[in-house]
Amino acid sequence: MNKYTPAKPAGARSVDEITGSRRLRRMRKADWSRRLVQENRLSVDDLIWPIFIIDGENRKEPVPAMPGVFRMSVDLAVREAERAARLGIPALATFPNVDMDLRDQTGSHVLDPDNIINRATRAIKAAVPEIGIITDVALDPFTSHGHDGILRDGIIVNDETVEQVAAAAVLQAAAGSDIIAPSDMMDGRIGAIRDALDDNGFQDVAIMSYATKFASAFYGPYREAIGTQGLLKGDKKTYYIDHANSDEAVREAEQDLAEGADMLMVKPGLPYLDIIHRLKEEFRVPTFAYQVSGEYSMIKAAGANGWIDGEKAMLESLLAFKRAGCDGILTYFAPEVAEMLRG
Ligand code: PBG
């Protein structure tokens, strides 16, 4: 006998005695039995696809930090919306990369009914009316400093920002947006947007609140995509939630629901599964996660290097959101995963 083999102690229990004959591996023994007892599933119906829009025609630029992701002019975004609809993806979320000369201190171009976000909404709705359009109503793509609010004397001013965001939401709804998604975390924005939408006859337009948006390092590649990376001075800690906090996230979500949010979103996604789970348990409302740019890029980069199996990691990460309690996921993987799920 190998001298390193530990001796079985006298009177040691057998495995059956230890487990009481319960053996959880029984149902894992074959593919058919694993499928039979699978508790959560990912479907195309869970996907929201965030896309980046630029001005011009027939323009498509890769986002270097997000392999496989492009900024597209409106005409090409319409083609992609058609593809998404064919794949069965329920909704798109649009984000603009606005020309630098249209950005200013207050993000005033957000109030142009013909800015590229509103033009994209109109064009996509005209060509593909069956797909849902979710528009982000924050100011950061429109400000010269990359912040989500109006900046005065080094301070992001809350109430003035809320007024502007609510007015922008009405223009987005008028362009055909189905869901307004404010991502700026100003206090009172949900109630103000709800009032503004209702006053203008848009009772049917829903609000997906970026209720718990955390100050996070995982937004880096997105900032490259919309061109705020070089602009942003300082950080967003005076308006996004400290990522050390969980009770505060619950209070934010509670407040947004009281103000009229129809759905909640947690952002970023995978590092915040505990928050998703807590909100779903607490409120039982439609709950979404945003698997943000940095999460996407990490999986892509590790996959490209052969350090992980990128496709499997993608599917595993998306299923984790379902297990945590999500009703759906905003993910840059949407078209890729939709093709896989269909194939
Ligand atoms: C800001 C906004 C952010 C994202 C979407 N809208 C965060 C930020 O730039 O601070 C991040 C999306 C992503 O990382 O994929 N309103």
Side-chain angles (χ1 to χ4, degrees):
M1 194 203 252
N2 184 322
K3 64 179 172 162
Y4 296 112
T5 304
K8 195 173 169 184
R13 293 178 300 163
S14 70
V15 169
D16 277 333
E17 282 165 341
I18 289 167
T19 66
S21 289
R22 278 184 288 269
R23 288 186 179 252
L24 290 168
R25 288 186 56 195
R26 260 182 219 127
M27 296 314 297
R28 294 181 204 140
K29 73 176 177 187
D31 179 63
W32 67 263
S33 63
R34 289 190 294 269
R35 280 189 283 131
L36 204 56
V37 300
Q38 189 168 71
E39 297 171 40
N40 294 286
R41 283 196 174 83
L42 180 69
S43 107
V44 175
D45 295 331
D46 299 317
L47 304 172
I48 296 170
W49 184 18
I51 59 170
F52 297 112
I53 317 278
I54 45 174
D55 213 348
E57 223 177 295
N58 197 24
R59 261 178 90 196
K60 188 173 175 182
E61 300 174 353
V63 178
M66 300 179 74
V69 171
F70 298 85
R71 308 179 188 103
M72 295 167 286
S73 52
V74 170
D75 54 326
L76 297 185
V78 169
R79 299 283 90 80
E80 289 297 77
E82 286 164 351
R83 177 162 79 105
R86 272 196 308 276
L87 287 166
I89 295 172
L92 302 175
T94 53
F95 297 89
N97 182 312
V98 176
D99 285 348
M100 286 299 161
D101 52 358
L102 292 171
R103 304 190 196 199
D104 61 19
Q105 191 72 9
T106 63
S108 61
H109 187 58
V110 77
L111 296 177
D112 184 340
D114 289 321
N115 64 32
I116 52 174
I117 270 309
N118 294 329
R119 273 189 278 134
T121 303
R122 278 196 290 270
I124 293 170
K125 273 285 149 186
V128 201
E130 68 272 26
I131 203 157
I133 302 282
I134 302 173
T135 49
D136 188 325
V137 77
L139 302 184
D140 57 301
F142 301 94
T143 55
S144 49
H145 42 74
H147 279 292
D148 297 23
I150 296 172
L151 181 65
R152 286 202 202 294
D153 304 324
I155 288 174
I156 303 297
V157 291
N158 192 89
D159 301 13
E160 223 179 304
T161 300
V162 167
E163 231 175 89
Q164 180 143 317
V165 161
V170 172
L171 296 174
Q172 292 185 351
S177 177
D178 299 290
I179 298 178
I180 305 295
S183 69
D184 56 281
M185 295 297 288
M186 297 300 130
D187 286 325
R189 72 212 190 286
I190 302 296
I193 291 170
R194 187 69 270 159
D195 287 354
L197 290 173
D198 291 351
D199 287 350
N200 286 278
F202 297 113
Q203 282 86 357
D204 290 343
V205 172
I207 300 176
M208 174 188 277
S209 175
Y210 284 69
T212 68
K213 183 168 185 182
F214 292 87
S216 171
F218 290 101
Y219 306 141
Y222 167 90
R223 292 180 187 170
E224 178 184 69
I226 67 155
T228 57
Q229 203 169 42
L231 305 177
L232 193 64
K233 306 248 176 340
D235 54 44
K236 300 192 176 185
K237 288 182 184 170
T238 70
Y239 42 106
Y240 294 175
I241 304 175
D242 182 343
H243 51 246
N245 295 354
S246 171
D247 287 346
E248 186 182 346
V250 175
R251 293 177 68 207
E252 271 287 357
E254 189 171 34
Q255 178 68 26
D256 286 2
L257 289 170
E259 290 179 23
D262 300 284
M263 346 157 83
L264 298 175
M265 187 213 293
V266 175
K267 179 181 179 183
L270 216 54
Y272 297 84
L273 292 183
D274 58 321
I275 306 291
I276 294 167
H277 191 251
R278 243 190 117 175
L279 296 191
K280 190 64 175 181
E281 293 276 294
E282 183 99 14
F283 302 112
R284 304 259 158 219
V285 299
T287 303
F288 293 79
Y290 197 144
Q291 181 178 49
V292 299
S293 55
E295 300 176 67
Y296 172 87
S297 299
M298 286 194 303
I299 293 174
K300 279 287 179 193
N305 276 291
W307 296 332
I308 59 173
D309 182 322
E311 279 189 0
K312 286 188 178 145
M314 164 182 81
L315 289 169
E316 185 176 333
S317 66
L318 292 168
L319 192 58
F321 291 115
K322 298 286 295 185
R323 195 187 61 240
C326 275
D327 295 279
I329 307 118
L330 289 93
T331 176
Y332 302 98
F333 288 120
E336 189 178 340
V337 79
E339 304 251 10
M340 279 178 73
L341 291 170
R342 304 215 111 196

